[in-house]
Amino acid sequence: MRIDLHTHSNKSDGTDTPTELIQNAIKANLDVVALTDHDSISGWDEAAQAAEGQIELIKGVEMSAEFKGVSIHLVGYNIDPNNADLLAEFEQLLNERDNRAPQIIKNLNNIGIEITPADVARQSTNAVAAGRPHIADALVELGVVSNRKEAFDLYLAEGMPGYVDRYSTEIFRALELIANAGGKSVIAHPWSKSSIDVVTPETLRQFVAAGLNGIEADHNDHSPAQRAELKAIAKELGVAYTGSSDYHGTGKIEFGLGCNLTEPDQFELLFSS
Ligand code: AMP
Ligand code: ZN
Ligand code: FE
Ligand code: FE
């Protein structure tokens, strides 16, 4: 069984349509793939149609959360798509992302980069909101940088001249919203550079006490030693550990579908109860 529990389509900041994503998941010999766009479930229906009878689709979302002012990504699976509280929260997250884009563009203009809202809009035509990756793509198109990573490293990451903070859901509220919508929650790449300092083992214990169902361990942001430690923590806390590609199409190099997989027993543990 090849199970990949974290991928993005161009409804957020991936480059495949949901249909292309499913086709590529089949080509990558996956048996199970989860679609987890940022703060949006708008790709679910198209993905489900493409997946029908071919591959098992898990419907998910990667929520923009925060803990102690640090960005935390929380994946929610199998949430009720009609849960009003969760839908309202997604709407706020997407609006705030959209509202931030002009401010980032202005910051870039201020340091002499001639980028316009139209340049960004061309990159986010299928997306539900314009995020930093779309601004990065516009910078690539303008020839300012050669890829998304360079755009983040030079201009868009925290501390860089284009950076503008935006609203994220407080983590304990996000955990509650997902649980109340009948979903399972998994903390995504907890030991990415940006969050490793605040997501201590004790913090993970608090998250589990507040309803967290799993910890993403096998992810390209984690070293082999970190993966092993996160799996040990998950076991100790009695929750699942997962493995995922965090595929973004051509938007993220070396994050190909199936590059990390979730073990079948962990999949079972996450979804059985
Ligand atoms: P936003 O939510 O609009 O602030 O954009 C953040 C998203 O950009 C993250 O969730 C990642 O998908 C993506 N991202 C962050 N850093 C990088 C990077 N260095 N290279 C490519 N994509 C990135
Ligand atoms: Zn993304
Ligand atoms: Fe993420
Ligand atoms: Fe992701």
Side-chain angles (χ1 to χ4, degrees):
M1 279 272 275
R2 286 169 54 80
I3 305 166
D4 186 341
L5 287 183
H6 180 171
T7 73
H8 298 268
S9 78
N10 66 3
K11 294 286 183 183
S12 63
D13 58 352
T15 56
D16 289 357
T17 64
T19 303
E20 289 163 349
L21 171 71
I22 294 298
Q23 288 166 347
N24 285 327
I26 293 165
K27 274 191 215 148
N29 290 315
L30 294 178
D31 301 288
V32 181
V33 64
L35 173 64
T36 55
D37 278 313
H38 296 285
D39 309 311
S40 175
I41 61 171
S42 60
W44 282 13
D45 289 351
E46 185 186 323
Q49 259 190 350
E52 174 122 49
Q54 313 243 18
I55 187 170
E56 183 180 349
L57 171 71
I58 302 288
K59 294 171 173 176
V61 64
E62 184 175 14
M63 248 184 120
S64 304
E66 59 92 5
F67 178 64
K68 296 184 175 171
V70 168
S71 167
I72 306 272
H73 285 179
L74 187 66
V75 177
Y77 297 106
N78 295 340
I79 48 174
D80 172 4
N82 298 311
N83 184 282
D85 292 339
L86 201 47
L87 292 179
E89 190 64 21
F90 291 157
E91 195 180 326
Q92 180 171 1
L93 287 164
L94 295 171
N95 284 338
E96 304 261 353
R97 186 179 273 113
D98 264 338
N99 293 339
R100 178 193 55 174
Q103 302 175 44
I104 295 178
I105 292 168
K106 202 180 272 172
N107 283 352
L108 294 171
N109 293 158
N110 286 343
I111 57 162
I113 297 171
E114 288 177 29
I115 180 174
T116 67
D119 295 330
V120 175
R122 270 198 306 283
Q123 304 300 327
S124 63
T125 40
N126 208 29
V128 287
R132 283 183 291 166
H134 303 109
I135 299 174
D137 290 347
L139 291 171
V140 172
E141 195 197 52
L142 292 167
V144 176
V145 292
S146 52
N147 54 52
R148 272 189 191 179
K149 188 184 175 314
E150 200 181 324
F152 274 86
D153 290 349
L154 294 178
Y155 301 111
L156 301 175
E158 198 168 346
M160 292 300 123
Y163 182 77
V164 177
D165 197 15
R166 72 169 162 76
Y167 170 77
S168 296
T169 312
E170 197 274 323
I171 184 79
F172 291 103
R173 190 167 124 72
L175 286 165
E176 190 180 15
L177 282 167
I178 290 171
N180 286 348
K184 300 293 185 188
S185 56
V186 171
I187 184 168
H189 45 77
W191 287 354
S192 286
K193 255 193 239 143
S194 56
S195 58
I196 187 165
D197 290 341
V198 306
V199 186
T200 62
E202 168 57 20
T203 299
L204 287 169
R205 193 193 59 73
Q206 288 172 23
F207 292 171
V208 168
L212 181 71
N213 301 111
I215 298 172
E216 192 176 64
D218 282 310
H219 182 285
N220 283 0
D221 287 358
H222 298 153
S223 71
Q226 291 174 327
R227 295 170 186 221
E229 196 178 338
L230 285 167
K231 288 175 195 178
I233 292 170
K235 278 185 195 159
E236 194 186 310
L237 296 174
V239 296
Y241 58 85
T242 64
S244 320
S245 62
D246 204 358
Y247 173 75
H248 282 70
T250 57
K252 241 179 171 175
I253 2 173
E254 289 169 6
F255 286 68
L257 284 164
C259 68
N260 297 296
L261 297 168
T262 296
E263 295 164 20
D265 63 328
Q266 297 301 311
F267 179 73
E268 184 70 19
L269 177 63
L270 180 60
F271 290 112
S272 59
S273 62

